[in-house]
């Protein structure tokens, strides 16, 4: 990873370039999900495909794409023919062959025909949204698949022969005890996936779950969440999965390159409504409205929100904030070289303190969080942001 | 206006009572009966004009009023009623209002009997040589116990029971009897034959347009517009702009004569220059002796007041300034605290006064404030004999240089039901008090006379008194002597840094338990921290109690991918902004409301 850190810190051509496509269709809305999605109809899907085609012509493609990620929504809701159209649309624009091409799929929509279409356009990695193997918990999440569908989908994916398969799991669900979570891990590992993502249930605003939380129907239990995190990390290490980020584990050689690219503050191009981009000197997200996005791209405009300029200081700050979520942590030296004006002395004081309190470790210029520290990555992140912005106040106190 | 009446037909009197014994309602009846205020205009509790006064049923400012009454003897009398502050905090103000009278109507609630404040106020009135007219009020209540009240009058207050008038302010019973008693029993104005003008200032009011308005009682001589007056305590001279009487609203008149109660507007703008208790005389022919009883009022209780939002500092400053205009007894000066930022050290006459000022700042000036622990003035004798006063624990000199610390005490009269005796005595003991006398009031109640350190009654004494007596207990106090005591300054430290807002002066024997209690409270209230945070209580560098803030366990977002980065940054930004608002104690960020919670809880 340090070679990639260095490449990014230099900000030169030849660095990784990601491509994210947001497929905004879902058959129904999950209680926990805050991503932009809408009901698919023949018309909206065609509109989406045309929109991506139009948007792709508006983007400056500076160098070959290294990784692709199709997320959503449920890209698996596209018909095989539509998958091929979308794949062809993209291939017309990007050069060369990506190292990794991931697609997120929901178990209920995995068909042999769709998998064949994915395979045909060059997809290398499937991420399957299992969430849980427990029928009761699946029900509680408002999920639209059964345990049997999970197994059938997995069999088909393996049969189609993708290079990497990931399973998404969720924990700290209402009604889930430690034993049932360990059983979910074991059931997932029994399928021998190349990669596992384990997500602690998050209460996001604008979700049904958030409403339940504010109504007191479900309760937050931080201590329980912390315990489940620790048990998950320990258990998966035992089972031969190396943790490389807060929620991500892989067998050697199967870490998700696209996400590593993101956390390393490299560049990526986002297409589709609500898709985020970080390239050509700015970061931002497309408008989260299919019709509006479509209308604008048809007129030759990309309507973006939360647009910020990518300065060396912002990238250095984010490389620290997001890099420290990774087990490998972050190499400070290249960022120091790229952005010497950043408040490194303050960062060093913070780093020393993290190390002194057993929340981080350090070897040379590389700093990483211990398990205890990684559980506090948001607080650490806020401290880093405070260090970058309120340096003078810090010193005066 | 009726024909001017001679001083012979003037009666100056006040009504004194325990809280809620019906003083204001009775005053309203008197105004109504004498047609001073028509029934239509008379809103309930006419004299208590401040919202806070109405709400709490207490009188803070004086509300004098002049009534005209045709007595049964066929003559017209000018009756000046002084509505006086009813609380011990304002006992000096009460004593000045009483000094402006020759008589006092002493109200006793027929159902409640004599209370601690009744005794205290009656004693103040005796001290001013006032003729006391006992009135047993609320006699139409089903629970009225006249026999008990009359016996208490004789036993506790040594007032002959046959002098008592039975009344009900609510139903209008006994109103004429009271007015007749005022005419017949209260002497006509005293000291009117003094050769020069002597005019007592018993209160003052600040008016944005007219400056300071002095409330006065003329004892001898007279005063009118364009006179050159002189304040005898300072020798300051000023031109009289206007004189008038209270009807109860201010009404201009040509002259105030001996025996009159009214107001004076002069060229003095600053209210603090016109002190309650001062004597005004005519500069051209000044009196040689002041009226008796003047003293400088000194605040007894102190605390820091800080704006909750530091942006409100100027607003708070302006608010305190305006409050001080009407309340010379309230003092403040700026101070700053590491924990709370910029604020003010404020001095008050007592606890109620403190509460009232805080409440008025919040309500009338719309500033949210936080207050530190109340403190008193300690006399500190240093090695070598130097004596200093300390009203803020932060200013306590190094313990090695201190020979002796003396603290103020109070002499309290506490009336409680017999059944609460044991509980009350143990509270008094816990508060380092000594009970000197126990008097049986009646079958059910006793009166304890105790000496207590003032600092011990500052916080929860009254609440606990009410609690162990199920609301039936009452207390009144006057300031006593300073006494030497084994006091120490206790610091509270967060990760080794002292938090000035929590420094306090405590008795050595209580330091450890108070220290432990504070540490626990802080450990509980400060939200979990990423880094280890120790909270310690220390006396002169020696740790006497400690606790740890809970360690933060988990604060991490599960998903953080490309699209999440902007959202995540916003979230962390919020967290960072939150941190900026926190108070930095050394390396520890503490939400400001943590301090407030600790201060509020104690």
């Amino acid at each position: 990873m340090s070679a990639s850190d260095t490449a990014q810190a230099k900000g030169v051509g030849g660095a990784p370039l990601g491509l994210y496509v947001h497929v905004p269709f879902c058959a129904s809305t999950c209680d926990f999900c805050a991503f932009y999605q809408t009901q698919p109809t023949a018309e909206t899907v065609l509109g989406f495909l045309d929109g991506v085609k139009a948007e792709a012509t508006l983007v400056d493609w500076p160098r070959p794409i290294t990784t692709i990620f199709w997320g959503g929504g449920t890209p698996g809701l596209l018909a095989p023919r539509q998958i091929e159209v979308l794949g062809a649309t993209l291939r017309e624009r990007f050069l060369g062959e990506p190292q990794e091409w991931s697609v997120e799929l929901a178990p209920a929509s995995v068909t042999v025909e769709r998998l064949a279409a994915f395979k045909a356009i060059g997809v290398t990695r499937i991420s399957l949204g299992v969430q849980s193997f427990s029928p009761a918990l699946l029900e509680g999440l408002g999920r639209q698949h059964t345990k049997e569908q999970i197994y059938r989908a997995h069999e088909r994916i393996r049969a189609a022969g993708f290079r990497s398969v990931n399973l998404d799991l969720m924990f700290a669900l209402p009604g889930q005890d430690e034993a049932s979570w360990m059983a979910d891990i074991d059931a997932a590992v029994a399928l021998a996936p190349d990669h596992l993502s384990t997500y602690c249930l998050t209460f996001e605003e604008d979700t049904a779950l958030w409403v339940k939380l504010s109504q007191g129907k479900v309760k937050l239990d931080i201590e329980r969440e912390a315990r489940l995190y620790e048990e998950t990390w320990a258990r998966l290490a035992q089972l031969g999965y190396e943790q490389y980020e807060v929620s991500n584990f892989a067998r050697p050689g199967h870490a998700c390159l696209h996400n590593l690219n993101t956390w390393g503050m490299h560049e990526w191009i986002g297409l589709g409504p609500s898709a985020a981009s970080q390239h050509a000197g700015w970061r931002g997200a497309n408008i989260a409205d299919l019709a509006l996005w479509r209308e604008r791209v048809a007129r030759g405009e990309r309507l973006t929100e939360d647009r910020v300029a990518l300065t060396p200081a912002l990238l250095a700050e984010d490389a620290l904030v997001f890099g420290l979520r990774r087990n490998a942590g972050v190499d400070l030296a290249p960022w120091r070289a790229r952005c010497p004006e950043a408040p490194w002395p303050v960062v060093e004081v913070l780093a020393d303190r993290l190390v002194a309190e057993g929340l981080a470790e350090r070897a040379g210029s590389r700093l990483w969080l211990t398990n205890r520290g990684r559980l506090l990555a948001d607080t650490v992140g806020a401290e880093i942001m405070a260090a970058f912005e309120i340096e003078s106040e810090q010193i005066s106190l | 206006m009726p024909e001017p009446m001679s001083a012979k037909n003037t009666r100056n009197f006040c009504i004194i009572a325990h809280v809620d014994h019906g003083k204001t309602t009775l005053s309203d009846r008197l105004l109504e009966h004498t047609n001073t205020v028509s029934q239509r205009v008379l809103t309930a509790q006419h004299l208590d004009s401040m919202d806070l006064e109405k709400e709490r049923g207490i009188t803070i400012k004086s509300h004098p009023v002049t009534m005209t009454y045709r007595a049964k003897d066929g003559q017209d009398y000018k009756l000046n009623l002084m509505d006086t502050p009813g609380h011990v905090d304002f006992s000096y103000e009460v004593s000045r209002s009483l000094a402006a009278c020759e008589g006092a109507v002493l109200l006793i609630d027929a159902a409640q009997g004599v209370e601690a404040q009744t005794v205290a106020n009656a004693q103040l009135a005796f001290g001013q040589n006032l003729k006391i007219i006992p009135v047993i009020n609320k006699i139409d209540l089903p629970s009225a116990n006249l026999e008990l009240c009359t016996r208490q009058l004789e036993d506790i207050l040594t007032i002959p029971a046959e002098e008592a008038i039975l009344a009900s302010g609510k139903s209008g019973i006994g109103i004429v009897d009271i007015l007749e008693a005022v005419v017949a029993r209260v002497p006509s104005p005293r000291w009117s034959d003094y050769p020069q003008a002597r005019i007592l200032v018993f209160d003052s009011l600040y008016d944005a347009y007219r400056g300071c308005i002095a409330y006065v009682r003329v004892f001898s001589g007279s005063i009118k517009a364009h006179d050159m007056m002189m304040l005898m305590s300072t020798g300051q001279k000023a031109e009289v702009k206007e004189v008038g009487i209270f009807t109860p609203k201010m009404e201009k008149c040509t002259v105030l004569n001996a025996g009159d109660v009214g107001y004076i507007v002069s060229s003095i703008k600053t209210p603090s220059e016109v002190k309650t208790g001062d004597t005004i005389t005519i500069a051209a022919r000044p009196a040689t002796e002041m009226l008796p009883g003047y003293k400088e009022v000194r605040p007894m209780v102190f605390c820091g007041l800080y704006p909750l939002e530091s942006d409100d500092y100027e607003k708070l400053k302006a608010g305190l300034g305006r409050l001080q205009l009407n309340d010379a007894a309230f003092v403040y000066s700026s101070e700053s605290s590491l924990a709370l930022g910029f604020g003010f050290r404020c001095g008050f006459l007592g606890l109620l006064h403190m509460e009232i000022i805080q409440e008025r700042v919040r309500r009338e000036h719309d500033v949210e404030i936080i207050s530190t622990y109340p403190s008193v003035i300690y006399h500190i004798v240093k090695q070598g004999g130097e004596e200093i006063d300390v009203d803020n624990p932060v200013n306590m000199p190094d313990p090695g240089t201190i020979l002796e610390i003396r603290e103020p005490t109070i002499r309290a009269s506490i009336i409680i039901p017999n059944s609460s005796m044991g509980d009350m005595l143990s509270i008094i003991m816990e508060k380092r008090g000594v009970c000197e006398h126990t008097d049986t009031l009646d079958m059910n109640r006793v009166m304890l006379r105790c000496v207590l350190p003032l600092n011990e009654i500052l916080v929860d004494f009254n609440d606990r008194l009410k609690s162990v007596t199920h609301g039936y207990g009452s207390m009144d106090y006057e300031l006593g002597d300073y006494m030497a005591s084994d006091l120490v300054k206790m610091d509270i430290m967060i990760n080794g840094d002292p938090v000035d807002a929590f420094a306090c002066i405590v008795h050595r024997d209580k330091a450890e338990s108070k220290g432990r209690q504070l540490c626990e409270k802080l450990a509980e209230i400060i939200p979990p921290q990423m880094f280890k945070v120790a909270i310690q209580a220390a006396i002169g560098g020696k740790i006497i109690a400690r606790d740890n803030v809970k360690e933060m366990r988990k604060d991490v977002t599960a998903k953080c991918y490309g699209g999440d980065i902007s959202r995540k940054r916003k979230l962390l930004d919020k967290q960072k902004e939150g941190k900026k608002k926190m108070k930095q104690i050394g390396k520890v960020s503490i939400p400001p409301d943590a301090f407030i919670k600790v201060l509020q809880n104690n």
Side-chain angles (χ1 to χ4, degrees):
Chain A
M1 323 278 134
S2 62
S4 135
D5 282 348
T6 312
Q8 161 55 4
K10 285 182 187 154
V12 294
L17 178 63
L19 169 61
Y20 176 76
V21 180
H22 191 81
V23 184
F25 303 112
C26 279
S28 66
T29 306
C30 299
D31 280 4
F32 55 84
C33 182
F35 288 102
Y36 174 64
Q37 45 88 10
T38 178
Q39 294 270 338
T41 64
E43 199 198 334
T44 56
V45 173
L46 287 178
F48 167 72
L49 294 172
D50 282 351
V52 172
K53 198 178 174 84
E55 189 174 24
T57 65
L58 303 175
V59 171
D60 167 36
W61 303 80
R63 56 183 184 274
I65 291 291
T66 49
T67 61
I68 302 179
F69 200 105
W70 289 11
T74 323
L77 282 185
L78 297 177
R81 177 67 198 134
Q82 293 163 340
I83 292 168
E84 283 161 15
V85 167
L86 185 56
T89 300
L90 300 177
R91 282 200 176 274
E92 267 173 39
R93 291 290 151 191
F94 68 74
L95 311 160
E97 191 57 33
Q99 292 167 258
E100 179 190 274
W101 187 331
S102 294
V103 174
E104 281 183 342
L105 293 177
S109 58
V110 175
T111 63
V112 175
E113 295 73 22
R114 281 186 176 123
L115 291 171
F118 284 129
K119 190 81 187 152
I121 62 169
V123 169
T124 64
R125 184 175 180 270
I126 299 292
S127 177
L128 186 66
V130 171
Q131 318 314 352
S132 174
F133 290 90
S134 152
L137 295 177
L138 285 172
E139 186 58 38
L141 284 172
R143 267 271 144 178
Q144 300 298 304
H145 61 259
T146 63
K147 189 174 159 183
E148 292 68 31
Q149 281 175 310
I150 295 170
Y151 284 110
R152 195 159 55 236
H154 181 259
E155 248 168 64
R156 287 172 180 168
I157 291 163
R158 279 306 186 192
F162 292 93
R163 186 187 170 266
S164 252
V165 175
N166 167 57
L167 304 180
D168 273 357
L169 295 177
M170 292 181 82
F171 66 92
L173 302 173
Q176 181 186 46
D177 60 14
E178 285 172 48
S180 86
W181 168 234
M182 286 302 134
D184 268 351
I185 290 183
D186 290 347
V189 170
L191 297 175
D194 307 292
H195 189 284
L196 272 169
S197 298
T198 58
Y199 296 117
C200 182
L201 179 67
T202 306
F203 296 87
E204 310 237 30
E205 274 182 71
D206 303 327
T207 62
L209 203 61
W210 178 270
V211 174
K212 285 185 188 169
L213 181 71
S214 44
Q215 289 169 344
K217 287 182 187 162
V218 291
K219 291 225 151 46
L220 260 184
D221 183 347
I222 300 285
E223 179 55 38
R224 169 172 169 261
E225 290 180 359
R227 223 169 38 236
L228 288 173
Y229 260 111
E230 287 167 343
E231 285 170 13
T232 307
W233 297 352
R235 180 85 182 128
L236 286 172
Q238 246 174 33
L239 294 168
Y241 288 86
E242 193 192 356
Q243 186 187 10
Y244 67 100
E245 195 255 4
V246 170
S247 305
N248 288 289
F249 306 80
R251 291 189 193 284
H254 287 275
C256 177
L257 298 178
H258 183 82
N259 289 333
L260 287 173
N261 172 24
T262 308
W263 301 325
M265 291 301 127
H266 296 286
E267 295 185 315
W268 71 92
I269 292 161
L271 301 177
S274 87
S277 295
Q278 171 163 303
H279 76 131
W282 61 274
R283 174 194 292 160
N286 285 345
I287 183 94
D289 183 310
L290 179 59
L292 201 53
W293 162 80
R294 166 100 183 79
E295 186 193 312
R296 293 300 179 94
V297 292
R299 272 198 266 152
E301 263 175 61
R302 296 180 78 197
L303 187 55
T304 49
E305 298 176 310
D306 296 329
R307 203 170 156 123
V308 293
L310 295 173
T311 62
L314 179 79
L315 286 169
E317 181 180 314
D318 285 343
L320 262 67
V321 171
F322 296 94
L324 284 173
R325 294 172 51 85
R326 292 173 51 192
N327 293 53
V330 63
D331 187 357
L332 302 178
W335 289 104
R336 226 177 161 128
R338 181 165 168 195
C339 183
E341 69 276 18
W344 297 107
V346 187
V347 172
E348 289 296 339
V349 168
L350 177 62
D352 288 348
R353 199 153 170 230
L354 289 167
V355 170
E357 300 237 8
L359 297 170
E361 286 178 50
R362 184 158 192 174
S365 59
R366 180 167 288 277
L367 177 74
W368 66 92
L369 297 179
T370 59
N371 283 357
R372 199 154 70 79
R374 210 175 312 108
L375 276 179
L376 302 175
D378 282 10
T379 308
V380 174
E383 291 279 338
I384 288 166
M385 289 177 71
F388 268 73
E389 202 184 278
I390 58 165
E391 185 192 359
S392 54
E393 283 181 44
Q394 280 283 329
I395 288 163
S396 71
L397 281 164
Chain B
M1 283 292 296
E3 285 296 296
M5 283 164 276
S6 70
K8 184 171 71 66
N9 278 12
T10 299
R11 300 289 181 271
N12 293 319
F13 73 108
C14 57
I15 305 178
I16 54 182
H18 189 73
V19 166
D20 277 344
H21 280 198
K23 186 170 74 170
T24 307
T25 310
L26 188 79
S27 306
D28 286 349
R29 287 293 158 274
L30 299 180
L31 298 191
E32 203 180 295
H33 191 85
T34 55
N35 292 317
T36 310
V37 176
S38 75
Q39 203 155 0
R40 197 166 42 79
V41 173
L42 193 71
T43 53
Q45 304 205 344
H46 191 90
L47 291 180
D48 287 349
S49 57
M50 229 185 275
D51 277 356
L52 211 59
E53 295 184 334
K54 281 185 187 160
E55 209 171 278
R56 291 180 161 237
I58 51 170
T59 305
I60 298 163
K61 294 295 289 182
S62 300
H63 299 280
V65 57
T66 300
M67 304 178 275
T68 307
Y69 175 64
R70 175 155 296 171
K72 288 181 178 162
D73 63 10
Q75 298 184 44
D76 282 342
Y77 288 86
K78 187 194 284 184
L79 308 184
N80 292 315
L81 167 60
M82 322 282 287
D83 195 19
T84 58
H87 190 274
V88 58
D89 279 1
F90 309 103
S91 62
Y92 176 67
E93 278 72 5
V94 179
S95 80
R96 291 309 83 204
S97 288
L98 296 185
C101 303
E102 278 79 28
V105 169
L106 176 70
L107 276 192
I108 299 167
D109 184 311
Q112 308 286 328
V114 168
E115 296 282 2
Q117 219 179 3
T118 322
V119 180
N121 282 327
Q123 275 158 358
L124 277 177
F126 284 134
Q128 296 294 331
N129 293 316
L130 301 193
K131 173 64 194 171
I132 292 188
I133 302 169
V135 171
I136 300 174
N137 195 23
K138 307 192 190 179
I139 53 154
D140 49 350
L141 283 181
S143 52
N145 187 341
L146 295 182
E147 194 197 332
L148 173 75
C149 291
T150 49
R151 202 170 59 235
Q152 285 179 342
L153 266 183
E154 297 202 323
D155 292 353
I156 303 167
L157 303 175
T158 61
I159 296 172
E162 60 272 17
E163 290 185 11
I165 297 170
L166 304 183
S168 164
K170 209 168 145 228
S171 329
I173 303 168
I175 302 303
V176 174
D177 295 342
I178 293 169
L179 289 167
E180 287 296 321
V182 169
V183 167
R185 298 187 208 169
V186 175
S188 47
R190 52 186 159 164
W191 306 333
S192 54
D193 51 359
Y194 192 85
Q196 292 89 25
R198 289 200 301 182
I199 299 157
L200 175 72
V201 178
F202 62 86
D203 204 346
S204 65
L205 179 79
Y206 178 74
D207 181 282
Y209 302 105
R210 298 197 284 177
C212 176
I213 302 174
Y215 288 20
V216 297
R217 151 78 195 267
V218 182
F219 275 89
S220 55
S222 65
I223 192 160
K224 57 186 188 309
H226 310 304
D227 279 348
M228 204 59 178
M229 65 177 224
M230 184 175 88
L231 288 157
M232 293 185 72
S233 72
T234 56
Q236 190 182 351
K237 290 173 188 164
E239 196 198 335
V240 177
K241 301 279 188 197
E242 180 186 318
V243 298
I245 60 166
F246 300 96
T247 67
K249 64 174 194 301
M250 287 184 209
E251 200 172 296
K252 192 171 160 179
C253 67
T254 49
V255 60
L256 290 176
N257 289 308
D260 285 346
V261 171
Y263 66 89
I264 298 174
V265 181
S266 71
S267 52
I268 298 177
K269 295 290 172 207
T270 318
S272 56
E273 290 171 11
V274 182
K275 298 187 180 78
T276 296
D278 205 346
T279 302
I280 292 174
T281 189
I282 299 296
R285 283 165 289 108
T288 48
E289 298 138 305
M290 289 177 74
L291 289 160
Y294 172 75
K295 64 177 184 188
E296 283 275 350
V297 184
R298 287 212 173 78
M300 288 307 301
V301 176
F302 293 79
C303 77
L305 291 187
Y306 290 82
L308 205 54
E309 302 290 339
S310 53
D311 294 352
D312 280 345
Y313 176 84
E314 287 300 329
K315 210 167 151 192
L316 175 59
K317 188 176 172 183
L320 293 179
R322 279 199 294 274
L323 287 174
Q324 196 188 35
L325 287 175
N326 263 328
D327 187 350
F330 164 62
V331 298
Y332 69 97
S333 56
S334 56
E335 73 170 6
S336 70
S337 147
L338 195 62
L340 305 171
F342 290 97
F344 300 91
R345 189 83 194 157
C346 301
F348 311 93
L349 295 172
L351 282 177
L352 180 80
H353 190 212
M354 176 168 81
E355 245 179 82
I356 288 168
I357 295 279
Q358 292 182 4
E359 195 60 29
R360 292 187 65 187
V361 168
R362 290 194 183 100
R363 284 195 203 183
E364 296 165 26
H365 301 283
D366 191 30
V367 184
E368 272 309 308
I369 47 170
I370 134 169
S371 59
T372 61
Y373 287 124
S375 171
V376 297
I377 298 188
Y378 296 94
H379 289 172
I380 293 175
V381 186
K382 295 177 77 173
Q383 306 275 6
E386 188 199 348
E387 288 189 28
I388 56 166
D389 285 355
V390 170
D391 66 49
N392 186 344
V394 172
N395 300 333
M396 192 82 161
D398 177 55
T401 67
I402 297 174
L403 207 60
E404 188 175 86
I405 303 180
R406 296 180 192 142
E407 64 177 334
T409 63
I410 57 154
R411 285 191 297 275
S413 313
I414 302 171
I415 295 183
I416 52 165
N418 293 338
S419 56
S420 309
M421 184 78 163
D423 288 339
M424 198 62 228
L425 286 177
S426 66
I427 293 175
I428 290 167
M429 202 151 86
E430 184 196 319
K431 298 289 185 186
R432 301 190 283 124
V434 178
C435 192
E436 294 180 331
H437 293 285
T438 314
D439 299 313
T440 303
L441 289 191
D442 51 53
M443 303 263 289
N444 306 313
R445 298 188 306 167
V446 286
M447 178 157 80
L448 312 178
R449 292 181 200 265
C450 335
V451 174
L452 285 148
L454 176 59
N455 119 13
E456 294 282 349
I457 65 155
L458 290 184
V459 179
D460 62 351
F461 190 82
N462 204 36
D463 290 345
R464 291 182 60 188
L465 162 69
K466 291 289 177 199
S467 159
V468 298
T469 60
H470 307 287
Y472 291 112
S474 64
M475 173 177 88
D476 210 311
Y477 67 82
E478 54 182 345
L479 292 168
D481 302 326
Y482 268 78
M483 289 187 187
S485 189
D486 190 8
L487 298 167
V488 287
K489 177 190 170 196
M490 182 171 73
D491 283 309
I492 297 292
M493 303 190 291
I494 296 184
N495 264 1
D497 295 307
V499 185
D500 48 12
F502 294 129
C504 51
I505 292 168
V506 289
H507 193 267
R508 191 181 300 276
D509 294 347
K510 296 180 132 193
E512 201 183 315
S513 71
K514 178 150 192 204
R516 201 175 319 114
Q517 192 194 333
L518 265 172
C519 289
E520 263 172 38
K521 191 98 226 165
L522 270 168
E524 181 191 311
I525 282 172
I526 296 175
Q529 299 280 312
M530 176 166 71
F531 296 123
K532 282 187 200 74
V533 177
I535 299 171
Q536 297 164 313
I539 296 172
K542 184 177 167 254
I543 308 297
I544 54 164
R546 69 162 290 152
D547 215 317
N548 290 313
V549 174
K550 286 183 288 297
E551 278 178 42
M552 199 188 269
R553 270 292 267 148
K554 183 230 136 190
D555 179 30
V556 60
T557 304
K559 286 195 185 193
C560 237
Y561 302 116
D564 301 315
I565 288 182
S566 296
R567 283 200 307 157
K568 179 79 199 147
R569 276 196 61 97
K570 276 189 206 163
L571 214 91
L572 294 182
D573 252 328
K574 249 192 235 167
Q575 221 166 315
K576 187 188 74 186
E577 287 308 309
K579 189 186 146 98
K580 272 197 211 166
K581 284 194 187 141
M582 291 192 194
K583 304 290 183 185
Q584 290 285 334
I585 302 298
K587 290 175 181 169
V588 187
S589 306
I590 293 168
D593 66 340
F595 295 102
I596 301 162
K597 282 180 189 161
V598 173
L599 290 168
Q600 276 170 351
N601 267 282
N602 276 267

